[in-house]
Amino acid sequence: MVGKSLAAGAAGLHLIDGLPLLRPDEQVFTAMLDGWRNQQLARNLAFSTIESREKAVRAFTRHADAFPWAWSPQMVDEWLGDLRSVRDLRRSTLRNYQGTIRSFCAFITDAAYGWADTCQERFGTHPVQVVHEWNTAVHVEEAEADPSKRAVTRGELRAFFDHADAQVDRVRGRGRKGWLPAFRDAMLFKTAYAFGLRRNETRMLDVADFGRNPRGAEFGDYGVLYVRHGKAKKGSPPKRRSVLAVFDWTAELLEQWTEEVRPLFSTAGPGALWPSERSARVGFSQMNTRFGAYRDALGLDAGLDFHSFRRSYVTHLIEDGLDARFVQQQQVGHEHASTTSIYTCVSSDFRTRTLRRTLDATMDAALRPERNT
């Protein structure tokens, strides 16, 4: 292989010609995964994406009890059938697994990387594509979220925030130290709703991410939130956007947190807006655990999750009469209006009012004399 120009992830970069392997099947498989990792790094994919894909390939290999050059479509069918019937995985999760195995097979069967020739030479066979149209699910729906995933109603939202505040008073009244993280999480939940943030966007906020809005002087230093860790497209860095404050209580809440309470954390530095008791930034598990505990304590639907704050934000802004395009492009950063419409779960009262306005306007137009002449 010396002197040849090889693609990143090619067999020659991982296996030396003429060198006998102690465990050839395991070593070639490991080299394949290493090569695939290099190829994905070259595509600028996230490390978390690459790691999750490798885990899926290893899981399929264990289930099939065979290495890639011995895989068959029937093995894929059995694996996916087991995942669906025994583990009851979501349709979207199964399709992600299918896509991962398809992608890995496309890599090891691509002549540019030389893995087929290597397998033929060492094992007398070669890998083939085992994921095809006839054994994969088709993505036909724009939104495949669980039906239980919905926006929180205004009444549920008030109850949730009141409960979060009550927990701070309860813990503090008993003289326990836990009131600080309880206070932080109450502020964190309210901020996520106030700006329609995703979970990671909320977690990764820094103190310096807020600024003034010249046309919203009443919000002071918290008129604009500059989101720096928005949802990224595949192979791209996090998407940035600026979100304008729209609720009159936002500035007071953030001012109290940043100036009075946040400094009480020993881990609070100049960066993260939400420090934890032991590190500079709160973790996902803490956020999820607290949300789940409050939701369950109030008897709310188990399908409600942190992302329900974002769904509620979109829904309530639309119900309050804000322009849909402003909500889509400026506030939540959706590229397509259809995505925003999926988030919108307007209440029956809103639909009734909208229908009443339409009917009244129609009747008024029909009864005007000048329109009938």
Side-chain angles (χ1 to χ4, degrees), residues 56-113:
V57 170
R58 290 187 179 278
F60 173 53
T61 303
R62 289 193 298 268
H63 186 277
D65 194 23
F67 289 103
W69 47 92
W71 287 353
S72 68
Q74 291 79 9
M75 293 177 179
V76 176
D77 298 346
E78 293 174 1
W79 181 53
L80 294 174
D82 180 71
L83 291 177
R84 185 172 184 184
S85 60
V86 177
R87 296 181 56 186
D88 193 27
L89 296 184
R90 299 181 187 278
R91 291 180 175 86
S92 58
T93 303
L94 291 173
R95 195 169 52 254
N96 284 337
Y97 284 161
Q98 294 168 353
T100 295
I101 302 303
R102 178 193 285 117
S103 176
F104 179 69
C105 288
F107 165 71
I108 59 178
T109 58
D110 191 329
Y113 296 101

Side-chain angles (χ1 to χ4, degrees), residues 168 171-172 174-183 265 277 290:
V168 178
V171 176
R172 193 171 189 178
R174 295 181 179 180
R176 297 182 180 179
K177 297 180 180 179
W179 75 270
L180 267 178
F183 194 106
F265 279 85
E277 304 91 303
R290 183 84 71 174

